[in-house]
Amino acid sequence: MDFTLYTFGDVEIFRAALTGVAMVFSGDGFFTSDSALGLGMVAAFGLVVTLLVMLVQGVMTQRIELGQFIVLVAIFFVMFVPKFRVQIEDYYGTSGNIAAVDNVPLGVAFPVAAMSALTKGINDRLATAYQTVSGSAYTEMTSPLKVVLSLRRAALGLPNVPNGPRWRQNLIDYSLYCMAGRPEFEA
């Protein structure tokens, strides 16, 4: 079973991060291993410490509850022992990059893929709702560099930009009342 992670840009950052996670849980004996229990040194040490704390607590309260320990072991086995392949795709397809990372634990692969699918679904619905007559919702709305360039061209009086007196006044008012004093617009 493969999980798919949709990115809105470069896939290399996500590939590097998931490769690091896969290396940590690679079965070299640190967190997980290829033994019968699948426990690595750190996981086994954590479970032994948990068991010791539970035993001390049991001595103090004269009651040992192994249910918590069993739940911790079960959660560890479900989340970190099974490994899956994560396919990373650029949603817009502008870079054309597709990467795959093997041996990513279920506890990392499933939430990443679920949130990615959720945001992709929301984005698809919004793109459909805000689609223009020309057929694209990503013309001026999601291209800030084009907007800044068109504002610059308009301020310089260059062609192919609306150049009426109202438009110029709107540009001046926007820069005075909306952009002035805001740190995100400072150069």
Side-chain angles (χ1 to χ4, degrees):
M1 178 174 169
D2 290 350
F3 292 102
T4 303
L5 168 64
Y6 297 100
T7 66
F8 292 99
D10 191 21
V11 301
E12 286 302 313
I13 296 169
F14 294 98
R15 186 196 60 76
L18 287 175
T19 300
V21 170
M23 288 174 65
V24 167
F25 292 99
S26 66
D28 62 354
F30 194 64
F31 280 105
T32 60
S33 70
D34 296 328
S35 67
L37 289 178
L39 291 176
M41 291 183 320
V42 173
F45 179 72
L47 289 176
V48 167
V49 167
T50 302
L51 189 59
L52 288 175
V53 167
M54 289 180 64
L55 288 175
V56 169
Q57 184 181 14
V59 167
M60 298 295 207
T61 61
Q62 296 182 359
R63 183 175 170 195
I64 294 179
E65 295 182 21
L66 286 178
Q68 294 173 351
F69 182 75
I70 293 170
V71 168
L72 286 174
V73 171
I75 288 173
F76 176 81
F77 283 126
V78 168
M79 293 185 68
F80 298 111
V81 172
K83 308 287 193 299
F84 294 93
R85 171 181 217 138
V86 176
Q87 184 91 10
I88 308 167
E89 297 179 12
D90 182 13
Y91 176 70
Y92 293 118
T94 55
S95 65
N97 290 339
I98 295 176
V101 179
D102 292 324
N103 298 324
V104 179
L106 178 66
V108 175
F110 180 73
V112 164
M115 291 307 295
S116 174
L118 177 69
T119 56
K120 179 184 179 286
I122 291 171
N123 189 45
D124 288 344
R125 288 177 189 258
L126 287 175
T128 301
Y130 290 107
Q131 200 166 33
T132 61
V133 177
S134 66
S136 174
Y138 304 109
T139 54
E140 297 298 322
M141 181 181 76
T142 58
S143 180
L145 190 55
K146 285 184 180 180
V147 172
V148 170
L149 185 59
S150 67
L151 289 173
R152 183 176 179 203
R153 292 175 63 87
L156 296 174
L158 297 174
N160 298 331
V161 176
N163 223 0
R166 280 186 171 168
W167 200 88
R168 275 188 186 267
Q169 189 59 44
N170 284 343
L171 178 63
I172 291 168
D173 290 342
Y174 176 75
S175 62
L176 282 175
Y177 298 115
C178 298
M179 293 172 53
R182 296 192 62 194
E184 57 265 18
F185 290 110
E186 298 295 323

